[in-house]
Amino acid sequence: MGALLQTPILAWLVARLTGRPTKPKPEPAWRPQYRLLYGEDPPPSRMGNEPEVVVAWVREYRARTGRKPSLSEVQHVFRLPKTTAWRRLRSA
């Protein structure tokens, strides 16, 4: 077992899977424009339904109201199928 841990391939694999920090996604160019025009952040439906956006919205909702949004609320706001909404709600 010790010889297996000393192989370069395994060392590379362990380094790859231990979770190096990833680059944050750049802010879309339209979002600052929206803030300038309307004086507030865009509604969730305008921000897209990527996993990061939905999870961030769920966390903000929980901080604001003290509870997680219901599955139907997440489905309605982001126009997601039930299974996708459930997965994103669980990951928040």
Side-chain angles (χ1 to χ4, degrees):
M1 182 74 179
L4 184 62
L5 291 176
Q6 294 175 358
T7 62
I9 294 173
L10 187 60
W12 174 82
L13 183 62
V14 169
R16 190 81 176 137
L17 295 178
T18 53
R20 284 185 258 159
T22 59
K23 293 181 194 175
K25 289 188 175 180
E27 185 176 42
W30 59 267
R31 192 175 292 174
Q33 295 278 351
Y34 190 97
R35 282 192 204 112
L36 285 174
L37 288 173
Y38 300 106
E40 60 185 24
D41 282 334
S45 59
R46 293 251 329 154
M47 295 185 335
N49 58 8
E50 292 84 22
E52 302 85 20
V53 173
V54 178
V55 168
W57 182 84
V58 168
R59 289 179 181 159
E60 288 174 19
Y61 186 94
R62 185 174 41 206
R64 215 173 38 243
T65 63
R67 66 175 183 85
K68 278 190 173 183
S70 68
L71 180 60
S72 59
E73 287 173 321
V74 174
Q75 277 184 278
H76 176 71
V77 169
F78 292 99
R79 298 183 186 111
L80 292 171
K82 191 173 189 176
T83 306
T84 306
W86 181 82
R87 287 179 183 158
R88 303 219 175 129
L89 186 60
R90 294 286 294 171
S91 66

